Amino acid sequence: MTEAVNWTELRREAAEAARRAYAPYSGLRVGAAALLDDGEIITGCNVENASFGLTLCAECGLVSNLYDSGGGQMLAISVVAGDGDPLMPCGRCRQILIEIGGPELKVDSDDGPRRLDSLLPGAYTEADLNERKD
Ligand SMILES: [Zn+2]
């Protein structure tokens, strides 16, 4: 079922979600709201953590933007630090990238491009899930 978008309502829902955010470190509260095809509205907010290790990485934002902008197949990715030099994706991001970009995704490194599957050998993938589920 397709419904017209009530942007005023959607923005209000997003603003309410932002008020529920947990952002004591940056002070930047963020909320999001989406209208689903069944008419439901879902929301989300940012949640920070004192460990900072649980902070969402640049690659996570990239993948979100990929889908938010309509999707597509990634062929190569470069992740750099503030000095402009390559920074390898963390373990969590490698897992995220292998599902979204595939094992052949080229990853920039100090030693030149590397296939993602060389950075995450024996990766858990959708195939494992399909083979092992009940
Ligand atoms: Zn990461």
Side-chain angles (χ1 to χ4, degrees), residues 1-14 33-42:
M1 176 179 167
T2 302
E3 297 189 5
V5 177
N6 182 333
W7 290 106
T8 301
E9 179 185 14
L10 213 51
R11 287 180 184 176
R12 185 173 56 245
E13 291 284 343
L35 175 67
L36 305 183
D37 60 359
D38 63 1
E40 292 293 314
I41 292 176
I42 58 170

Side-chain angles (χ1 to χ4, degrees), residues 57 59 90 93:
C57 297
E59 298 93 317
C90 75
C93 288

